[in-house]
Amino acid sequence: MSSHGAPIPMTSRKAGRLSGTADVPGDKSVSHRSLILGAMSVGETHITGLLEGQDVLDTATAMRALGADVIQHGPGAWSVHGVGVGGFGEPDNVIDCGNSGTGVRLIMGAVATTPISVTFTGDASLRSRPMGRITDPLRLFGAEAYGRAKGRLPLTLIGTTQPLPVRYTTPVPSAQVKSAVLLAGLNAPGETVVTEAEATRDHTERMLRGFGARIETEITKEGRVITLTGQPELTAQTIQVPRDPSSAAFPVCAALLVEGSDVLVPGIGLNPTRAGLFTTLQEMGADITFENSREEGGEPVADLRVRFSALKGIEVPPERAASMIDEYPILSVVAATAGGRTVMRGVKELRVKESDRIDAMARGLEACGVTVEEDEDTFIVHGRGADGVPGGATCRTHLDHRIAMSFMCLGMTAQKPVSIDDAGAIATSFPIFEDLMGGLGANLVRTDT
Ligand code: S3P
């Protein structure tokens, strides 16, 4: 089932060369944060390029429920009239974050140090994901959380009346955990300190600085130590959201897979904590050039030009995992068409995403005639070379947008069509995927089961 309705089965058939310009939507991580920090600041924040995927729309609805004035003025153009740090009011109903782990986890952090009760829920995928990683540090601030077994949603969070600042070392590499702690720290007196052993995406830190918070990052032998001074007055900002590198990954990889392709993907955010996929693809032999490098909205951005390339399998270093964590599903498709083995280690976080992404990709690739190996923390794909993947299967997507889009890309190069049981979740992050890929020359059709 799709997150918001009946399943939408879809089939991808072998494509001729892909060409043209792929204008991918705004960055999902930056979009969530723009709305949340806009809602926690004083004055009116103006946002352009906001991703209007369901995940972000659900965060917009949540910010309204907490008292902020969130208005859409035109495509991607939004304003948020904030209530200030500590100014959220108690919502009069449950907050439904749909499919979005980022939405629910960041909002839990943002409300934990305000004395209100908020009940969170989500779709079947989100209700199965671990929330203890968020509620554990939020309890240190003084918040209380009551969820289902293993802390799963639905979950009620009771914000504390007397927040304490917290020192916390994240037990897993997670920007969502780090961000939840920092957002909770905003309404605690004194300094909240988060240490992360491995660098994860730093959009929250960059944006907090932009909104006027005092926040410093130090590199130590324990990792990155981020110190936030609590109870700042955040001032409304103008934010231009860069285009999402995790969405760009699909037209970029599709162009690499389909013979004769030449595609331009402009304005892509290339924050080093997000750009690991592009380094990996280049190591595999991809012809990708970065043109017109510039800065937009505090993030490095460039235009990507990608041409079909014969690729070779590689070992992806585990220390790169955090910077490409959402890109392993599409990388595993690329790996299936490369020559030789691609070994992905240090990837166990993939098991707790919108689906168990190692399992979902492994089963679908096997059904399409690709040999894989896996253990808890490793995924190995045996490449069959360009044009070597048999295809001809229907793959299960488990309410996971990235699994759905990855198999649709595989179908563009496989010998026989590749189908998915449900394309509905694609709308959470990349609502224009079908039209955009079709415009480049892909052959995607909605099919009946
Ligand atoms: C995100 C962090 C990552 C990523 C997710 C977006 C964020 O999750 O997978 O899609 O915006 O902070 P984790 O923090 O769980 O690694």
Side-chain angles (χ1 to χ4, degrees):
M1 274 264 289
S2 65
S3 3
H4 292 86
I8 304 169
M10 193 178 275
T11 296
S12 173
R13 296 196 162 75
K14 204 170 176 61
R17 61 185 288 269
L18 304 180
S19 64
T21 301
D23 284 323
V24 306
D27 189 287
K28 184 151 71 70
S29 295
V30 175
S31 294
H32 282 294
R33 288 159 171 82
S34 305
L35 293 171
I36 295 169
L37 285 182
M40 297 179 86
S41 68
V42 173
E44 198 158 275
T45 287
H46 292 273
I47 309 168
T48 51
L50 189 86
L51 166 65
E52 286 162 353
Q54 192 56 47
D55 278 10
V56 176
L57 298 178
D58 289 338
T59 288
T61 304
M63 291 304 106
R64 286 191 191 108
L66 290 162
D69 220 356
V70 184
I71 299 169
Q72 184 191 19
H73 299 277
W78 291 63
S79 66
V80 184
H81 201 104
V83 294
V85 169
F88 284 140
E90 189 164 278
D92 59 14
N93 205 342
V94 169
I95 290 196
D96 185 346
C97 289
N99 192 250
S100 182
T102 305
V104 76
R105 289 171 171 154
L106 268 56
I107 298 168
M108 280 194 215
V111 303
T113 47
T114 302
I116 56 174
S117 290
V118 188
T119 301
F120 295 93
T121 193
D123 70 5
S125 156
L126 192 58
R127 291 195 310 273
S128 72
R129 296 180 67 184
M131 295 298 152
R133 56 175 59 196
I134 299 294
T135 51
D136 287 352
L138 296 185
R139 286 196 175 95
L140 303 176
F141 286 95
E144 292 169 57
Y146 303 94
R148 292 190 300 133
K150 298 190 185 158
R152 299 216 153 91
L153 301 182
L155 178 153
T156 297
L157 194 69
I158 304 177
T160 173
T161 46
Q162 286 183 318
L164 303 164
V166 160
R167 300 185 81 87
Y168 193 68
T169 300
T170 56
V172 285
S174 167
Q176 294 173 357
V177 174
K178 170 179 66 178
S179 300
V181 175
L182 291 173
L183 292 173
L186 279 175
N187 201 32
E191 290 185 339
T192 286
V193 182
V194 188
T195 302
E196 56 177 4
E198 290 169 48
T200 64
R201 65 192 69 194
D202 63 355
H203 305 299
T204 304
E205 297 93 301
R206 286 176 188 245
M207 207 180 277
L208 277 169
R209 208 166 285 126
F211 272 85
R214 244 181 77 191
I215 178 162
E216 272 142 38
T217 300
E218 222 188 315
I219 313 294
T220 69
K221 63 178 191 321
E222 278 76 42
R224 290 210 306 184
V225 180
I226 303 138
T227 305
L228 171 76
T229 304
Q231 301 183 326
E233 179 164 299
L234 300 182
T235 314
Q237 296 298 306
T238 298
I239 299 171
Q240 186 182 353
V241 179
R243 296 180 195 269
D244 198 324
S246 300
S247 296
F250 297 101
V252 164
C253 291
L256 293 173
L257 298 178
V258 178
E259 204 167 336
S261 298
D262 185 347
V263 170
L264 184 70
V265 193
I268 301 306
L270 289 176
N271 180 319
T273 61
R274 294 287 299 283
L277 174 72
F278 304 120
T279 309
T280 301
L281 292 172
Q282 285 180 316
E283 287 173 3
M284 295 174 84
D287 180 353
I288 304 178
T289 51
F290 298 87
E291 300 167 0
N292 197 12
S293 296
R294 57 202 183 270
E295 189 157 300
E296 277 175 15
E299 299 274 348
V301 160
D303 304 336
L304 273 55
R305 174 100 188 257
V306 193
R307 297 180 184 86
F308 166 75
S309 310
L311 301 173
K312 61 174 193 306
I314 61 162
E315 290 242 355
V316 186
E319 60 276 12
R320 195 180 291 157
S323 70
M324 53 177 291
I325 194 67
D326 291 335
E327 283 66 76
Y328 284 98
I330 186 64
L331 176 67
S332 66
V333 164
V334 170
T337 70
R341 273 179 359 144
T342 294
V343 181
M344 301 166 251
R345 290 190 208 283
V347 293
K348 64 173 179 292
E349 274 295 297
L350 294 178
R351 297 205 180 270
V352 289
K353 295 294 177 187
E354 285 83 330
S355 67
D356 175 341
R357 285 181 169 162
I358 297 179
D359 183 67
M361 290 310 300
R363 302 294 79 79
L365 286 172
E366 279 173 347
C368 289
V370 179
T371 304
V372 301
E373 293 169 63
E374 61 175 299
D375 65 29
E376 183 57 21
D377 199 29
T378 310
F379 189 33
I380 300 172
V381 176
H382 293 258
R384 297 184 59 101
D387 281 329
V389 176
T394 298
C395 306
R396 289 187 63 198
T397 53
H398 305 276
L399 290 177
D400 190 327
H401 53 134
R402 299 200 199 282
I403 301 300
M405 291 186 277
S406 297
F407 284 120
M408 290 297 86
C409 290
L410 183 61
M412 295 172 203
T413 182
Q415 292 156 3
K416 291 200 196 118
V418 174
S419 299
I420 49 175
D421 58 347
D422 187 9
I426 294 175
T428 62
S429 70
F430 201 158
I432 60 168
F433 176 79
E434 206 179 332
D435 286 348
L436 182 145
M437 296 307 298
L440 297 177
N443 207 339
L444 305 182
V445 284
R446 294 184 180 216
T447 40
D448 290 327
T449 31

